[in-house]
Amino acid sequence: MAIVVLGAGRVGSLIANELEREHPGKVLVYDASTHSLEKLKRVPGDRRRQVDLSDLSVLSSLISEEDLVVNALPGSLGFEVLERLVFLGARGVDIAFFEQDPRPLDSKAQESGAAFVYDCGVAPGMSNMIVGRAAEVFDEVSKVMIVVGGLPKVRIWPHEYKAVFSPSDVIEEYVRPARLVRGGREVVLPALSEPEFLDFDRLGTVEAFNTDGLRSLIHTVSAQDMAEKTLRYPGHREKMLFLREAGFFRQDPISTESDLSILDVTSRILFADWQLKPGEADVTVMRVSIEGTLNGNSVSVVASLYDEFDAQEGVTSMARTTGLTACAVLDLIVSHQYAPKGIEPPEILGKSGRLLREVLAFQKKRGVSYDFQFSGVQAEDFWSVS
């Protein structure tokens, strides 16, 4: 059995290096960029291969029935790759932030024997598992609020932001309509809507706004109100809103003589400024709040994360918090502690207190730690309820 990592970007490279440490000699990495492959620290050179993964036909020659796969490609390519992996009957985890709903792939997965946990990052990902656990323990969930952001530790004008994951996926957050739950019903609002200011220890005041991060939770957890908001330093949202409304994120070609879209040009300008420079640190902040009832009493759980750039390894916090979640879940699959059935969101795994503790412990050993606060329910009861 090999562990195949598709994509060697910031998160994919972290996953590949971590899995090579856990399972030496078993990791294979495929990416179109030789530069990205060369930066891998732990994976031997003969197990890194340059492959154009936009050509889906190559996947059948790269993956065998026994292999486990991590889809760490950008969202623009991620869904088509996952669809092909399902056709091939592959198993593994997926962290590609694609727009499409993967649930229709489940019937195909049942036929082919494919099994994937999708959205297996920090948010969506860990946020889903925590909400899934609370929904399993509570008699009823009334409210879910997820706020999360990856930010540069030092604010630098004009954007006061650095892209700590795929820059194209960042812009997608600002464009893709946000799905929320209000009064028990799904509603759709524009991305960047309903801004509010929040205060966090060690970070200060940040601005939160609606983004499309609930995803599968809308369908798997019954609640009166659910929302996910992205965190940025004050001022960044207004700049992105201006660019979006002024048409800078449009897909229209810049002219009849060019294949370049307006978004292509905007992206090239922004990405040059959004890249973290050597030595620049990022932070990841998340707070997942779940309210509900248990035995007729009001209860709540708040899970918090604050994580910083790993200077010793030279790894961004967003790569760590996203990638280690995927590694932890894959480790459960490798050790046969968990076997996803078809195409599953992470909250299915999170229903189990034991498995969620395993995922949290895996990350804590590597320096990523979540803090839990309980009201109306004892911690031991929260973790022990089946």
Side-chain angles (χ1 to χ4, degrees):
M1 177 198 76
I3 300 173
V4 178
V5 180
L6 303 177
R10 279 202 179 96
V11 182
S13 61
L14 178 282
I15 291 171
N17 286 325
E18 183 61 38
L19 290 174
E20 178 65 24
R21 177 159 54 186
E22 291 290 312
H23 309 281
K26 292 187 176 181
V27 177
L28 288 167
V29 187
Y30 300 110
D31 195 282
S33 168
T34 54
H35 178 66
S36 295
L37 292 168
E38 287 169 357
K39 292 193 297 182
L40 291 169
K41 294 181 178 180
R42 291 194 175 91
V43 181
D46 62 347
R47 299 184 71 81
R48 320 173 197 173
R49 300 176 188 173
Q50 183 187 20
V51 177
D52 180 7
L53 296 171
S54 65
D55 179 3
L56 300 181
S57 64
V58 305
L59 289 172
S60 58
S61 64
L62 302 179
I63 298 164
S64 73
E65 292 182 0
E66 295 79 21
D67 295 341
L68 291 176
V69 183
V70 179
N71 182 11
L73 294 165
S76 57
L77 186 60
F79 180 78
E80 287 75 14
V81 168
L82 178 61
E83 188 174 35
R84 182 67 177 177
L85 292 172
V86 167
F87 174 79
L88 295 173
R91 300 174 300 133
V93 299
D94 186 295
I95 63 165
F97 186 68
F98 44 73
E99 181 178 7
Q100 298 90 334
D101 184 351
R103 291 179 299 157
L105 297 178
D106 186 61
S107 59
K108 298 178 183 177
Q110 301 293 345
E111 295 174 5
S112 68
F116 274 86
V117 180
Y118 65 90
D119 278 352
C120 200
V122 59
M126 282 303 304
S127 55
N128 300 56
M129 294 184 211
I130 294 165
V131 173
R133 181 57 189 160
E136 184 74 5
V137 173
F138 294 179
D139 293 332
E140 184 179 70
V141 175
S142 57
K143 183 177 181 180
V144 174
M145 173 57 78
I146 302 165
V147 294
V148 59
L151 298 161
K153 192 171 182 180
V154 178
R155 298 171 62 175
I156 300 175
W157 188 86
H159 300 292
E160 301 184 280
Y161 178 71
K162 297 288 183 176
V164 289
F165 56 98
S166 171
S168 59
D169 288 345
V170 175
I171 290 181
E172 184 67 19
E173 281 191 331
Y174 302 154
V175 175
R176 187 184 303 172
R179 293 165 291 177
L180 299 81
V181 175
R182 292 204 172 143
R185 296 184 178 182
E186 179 180 343
V187 298
V188 180
L189 296 176
L192 301 171
S193 60
E194 300 184 328
E196 60 179 313
F197 293 107
L198 301 174
D199 294 320
F200 288 84
D201 293 340
R202 295 188 285 180
L203 186 63
T205 300
V206 291
E207 192 171 18
F209 48 82
N210 287 324
T211 45
D212 191 41
L214 288 179
R215 295 165 72 84
S216 58
L217 288 172
I218 293 174
H219 310 287
T220 59
V221 173
S222 177
Q224 284 298 298
D225 295 285
M226 283 197 290
E228 190 254 29
K229 289 191 170 186
T230 290
L231 304 175
R232 295 287 185 262
Y233 289 123
H236 177 80
R237 170 194 167 273
E238 189 69 23
K239 296 182 178 84
M240 296 302 105
L241 184 62
F242 167 80
L243 289 176
R244 189 186 72 189
E245 296 306 304
F248 285 89
F249 295 159
R250 284 165 39 194
Q251 296 280 3
D252 310 45
I254 59 173
S255 71
T256 55
E257 293 80 22
S258 175
D259 292 331
L260 282 176
S261 70
I262 298 171
L263 177 59
D264 290 333
V265 177
T266 303
S267 299
R268 292 184 185 187
I269 295 170
L270 291 179
F271 296 175
D273 193 53
W274 282 3
Q275 293 298 317
L276 280 169
K277 295 180 175 62
E280 287 186 335
D282 71 313
V283 300
T284 305
V285 179
M286 182 166 71
R287 185 164 64 212
V288 182
S289 305
I290 311 108
E291 300 174 10
T293 59
L294 178 62
N295 299 325
N297 300 314
S298 295
V299 293
S300 68
V301 175
V302 178
S304 302
L305 169 70
Y306 178 89
D307 186 75
E308 292 192 1
F309 173 78
D310 184 345
Q312 183 174 351
E313 293 289 332
V315 175
T316 66
S317 172
M318 182 56 68
R320 278 158 40 86
T321 54
T322 301
L324 288 176
T325 304
C327 290
V329 174
L330 193 73
D331 203 59
L332 291 175
I333 298 173
V334 171
S335 62
H336 303 290
Q337 296 184 66
Y338 184 63
K341 299 176 181 178
I343 303 300
E344 286 190 359
E347 57 266 31
I348 303 302
L349 181 153
K351 287 183 177 182
S352 166
R354 180 184 66 82
L355 292 179
L356 179 55
R357 285 198 306 272
E358 290 287 338
V359 173
L360 291 166
F362 183 100
Q363 296 183 70
K364 189 172 184 178
K365 286 181 181 177
R366 292 150 183 84
V368 176
S369 184
Y370 287 78
D371 175 68
F372 284 79
Q373 295 180 333
F374 301 93
S375 176
V377 58
Q378 297 296 316
E380 56 267 28
D381 293 334
F382 182 85
W383 295 115
S384 64
V385 174
S386 60

